[in-house]
Amino acid sequence: MFQKVNDMTAQDKVKQLRACIEQALDPYIDRDYVFLDLPYHPNVGDTLIAMAAKHYLSRFQHRCLYWSSEFTFDDRPIAPDTLIVFNGGGNFGDLWYNYTVFRNKIIRKYPHHHFLILPQSVMYTDPAHLEEDVALYSSCPHITICARDKQSYAFLKQHFCHNTVLLVPDMAFYSDEEYLKEAMAEEETGRVLYLKRDDKEFVETEKYAIVPKNAEVHDWPTMEHKQSPYRRLKSLKKMTKIFVRPFSKKTAWHILDAYWQRCLHPYNVRSGMNFIGQYSTVYTTRLHVAIICVLLGKKTFFFDNSYHKNSALYDTWLQDVDTIQFIR
C-alpha cells in the first residue's frame, strides 16, 4: 500500500520539525514564565505535548516559576514581567470547552501580561463562543497563538487578527530522546496494532476495512487499564482531603501538582511510547499515536478524526515522510 518513493525519512523529518519549533518559538522565551493548563488525565497524547514542551523549555536559562492544571491553579499573583505559557493540543475553541474557559479566565485575570499559547488545532461549533473569544483576545494584544496546521493557522489569522499568530509543529515532535531510546529498545514481533480512539472525535467510516483481521485493537494503555500509579493517585486524593481542613486547599493542590509532574506524566509518556514500540505496523485514529510512530520510525496508516485535525496536521507537516500514509 505504501507508494512513496524517495521521500524524507522519519528521522530527518523529526530533525526538521524540531528546528522549525526552535526557529518559531525561541524569540518568545525571553523571560521567566509560568506553565499552565497541564493535562492531569490519562490521555498520553496531551501528556506527550506537555512533557515535550517542558523538554523544549529546559534549553533556556529562564525559570519556570510555577505550573498547574486548570483544576489546581491557585490564583496566585503573577509578576507583570512573567510570560504565561499555555499547553498546546487540540482544544482551542469549544469542542473541549473547559480548556477555553480556563484560558479565558487567566487572560481576564492578567490582561497586561504576555501570553504564549503553544501549538493548537482549532474547532468552533458555536459562533457566539468564537465572537466572545475574539473580543477578549482583541483587548489583549500581547497574546501569541500557535497553530499546528495550516487550516487552524488560516482560521486564526482571519478571526484573531489583533494577535500574533504563528504556524508551529506540534510540540510532541520535541520529545525527549531518552523516552524514544527506551521505546525503540522494545522487541518487535511483527504484531499489528489498530489504535482506536473511543470518544466524540471518532468517526465511523468504511475506510477502516483496510485494517487487517489480525490487528490488535486498543486505545491508550493508560486509558484501558488504571495501573498502580493511578491507584496511588486515588489514595493520594483521599489523603489530600485531610490536608484541606488544617491547612488549605492550596496545599492539597500543590501535592497533586507534584505527583502528576514527577510521577504520572513520565509514566503516561513511557507507557504510551513503550506500548507503540512493541508493534511493527500501526493503524491509528489518534493524532499522537501517529506522531509517536514518526518519532519511532514505525510503518503507519493514519485515519481522520471528526473535525479533520489529523488530515490537517498530516497535510501541513507529514506528507513527505516515507513511513506514514494517510487513508482518505
Side-chain angles (χ1 to χ4, degrees):
M1 185 178 293
F2 273 76
Q3 303 296 325
K4 297 184 175 183
V5 179
N6 297 325
D7 280 330
M8 184 177 292
T9 67
Q11 185 178 32
D12 287 341
K13 172 56 70 171
V14 172
K15 290 179 181 177
Q16 181 190 76
L17 296 181
R18 288 167 72 98
C20 287
I21 291 171
E22 293 173 1
Q23 183 177 12
L25 296 186
D26 280 8
Y28 294 89
I29 315 301
D30 58 355
R31 63 192 75 190
D32 290 345
Y33 60 92
V34 297
F35 192 14
L36 305 182
D37 201 16
L38 296 179
Y40 287 7
H41 52 71
N43 187 316
V44 173
D46 291 337
T47 310
L48 184 67
I49 293 169
M51 290 287 285
K54 289 176 72 175
H55 182 58
Y56 163 76
L57 291 167
S58 70
R59 299 167 51 250
F60 299 89
Q61 292 184 339
H62 306 295
R63 296 176 300 150
C64 182
L65 304 175
Y66 171 63
W67 59 66
S68 84
S69 70
E70 60 172 308
F71 308 109
T72 57
F73 181 71
D74 63 9
D75 289 313
R76 65 177 56 198
I78 298 176
D81 60 345
T82 303
L83 175 67
I84 299 178
V85 180
F86 289 114
N87 194 40
N91 57 57
F92 195 102
D94 57 13
L95 185 64
W96 303 98
Y97 194 48
N98 55 304
Y99 296 99
T100 292
V101 169
F102 175 71
R103 279 192 298 268
N104 290 356
K105 168 190 168 182
I106 300 300
I107 292 169
R108 290 189 181 99
K109 185 175 180 64
Y110 309 100
H112 303 298
H113 282 64
H114 284 71
F115 294 89
L116 176 63
I117 302 175
L118 294 177
Q120 285 274 358
S121 297
V122 181
M123 177 62 182
Y124 281 94
T125 60
D126 186 341
H129 288 153
L130 173 60
E131 183 178 350
E132 177 186 353
D133 291 353
V134 168
L136 173 63
Y137 280 57
S138 296
S139 67
C140 302
H142 300 303
I143 300 176
T144 299
I145 316 170
C146 301
R148 65 182 179 184
D149 60 75
K150 291 179 180 178
Q151 177 178 295
S152 298
Y153 177 76
F155 182 93
L156 291 169
K157 289 288 285 185
Q158 176 184 352
H159 295 282
F160 292 81
C161 52
H162 292 93
N163 305 107
T164 301
V165 178
L166 306 175
L167 178 63
V168 185
D170 190 290
M171 293 304 298
F173 289 109
Y174 218 94
S175 293
D176 191 333
E177 287 90 344
E178 290 304 312
Y179 291 105
L180 299 177
K181 290 177 184 176
E182 186 178 323
M184 288 175 179
E186 290 289 329
E187 182 178 352
E188 289 194 17
T189 59
R191 293 158 64 189
V192 179
L193 172 66
Y194 173 30
L195 198 302
K196 178 183 178 182
R197 71 182 307 144
D198 184 22
D199 60 19
K200 60 188 174 183
E201 289 191 32
F202 179 77
V203 57
E204 291 288 353
T205 171
E206 68 279 359
K207 296 176 181 132
Y208 302 134
I210 73 163
V211 177
K213 299 296 184 185
N214 67 332
E216 301 172 37
V217 183
H218 294 284
D219 203 342
W220 288 121
T222 51
M223 301 177 79
E224 287 190 339
H225 310 289
K226 295 297 174 63
Q227 297 173 343
S228 55
Y230 281 94
R231 290 195 291 271
R232 287 196 292 271
L233 175 65
K234 187 175 181 180
S235 300
L236 187 62
K237 285 181 175 179
K238 290 180 181 178
M239 290 176 57
T240 54
K241 289 181 181 178
I242 300 172
F243 281 96
V244 171
R245 294 191 184 96
F247 298 103
S248 70
K249 187 180 291 186
K250 290 182 181 180
T251 303
W253 286 345
H254 293 171
I255 293 170
L256 292 175
D257 279 330
Y259 187 72
W260 272 100
Q261 294 293 316
R262 295 172 186 173
C263 180
L264 285 176
H265 278 171
Y267 171 78
N268 281 0
V269 172
R270 184 171 288 110
S271 296
M273 285 197 172
N274 291 353
F275 178 68
I276 300 300
Q278 303 172 68
Y279 294 91
S280 299
T281 303
V282 177
Y283 295 75
T284 181
T285 60
R286 280 197 179 274
L287 174 60
H288 285 89
V289 172
I291 289 177
I292 288 176
C293 287
V294 172
L295 291 169
L296 298 178
K298 299 283 182 183
K299 183 185 293 186
T300 313
F301 298 91
F302 194 15
F303 300 97
D304 220 344
N305 73 316
S306 60
Y307 68 100
H308 309 299
K309 76 176 182 187
N310 293 356
S311 55
L313 186 134
Y314 175 86
D315 291 341
T316 303
W317 306 111
L318 300 178
Q319 288 188 81
D320 57 350
V321 179
D322 62 1
T323 56
I324 184 169
Q325 181 164 329
F326 203 89
I327 307 302
R328 302 186 186 276

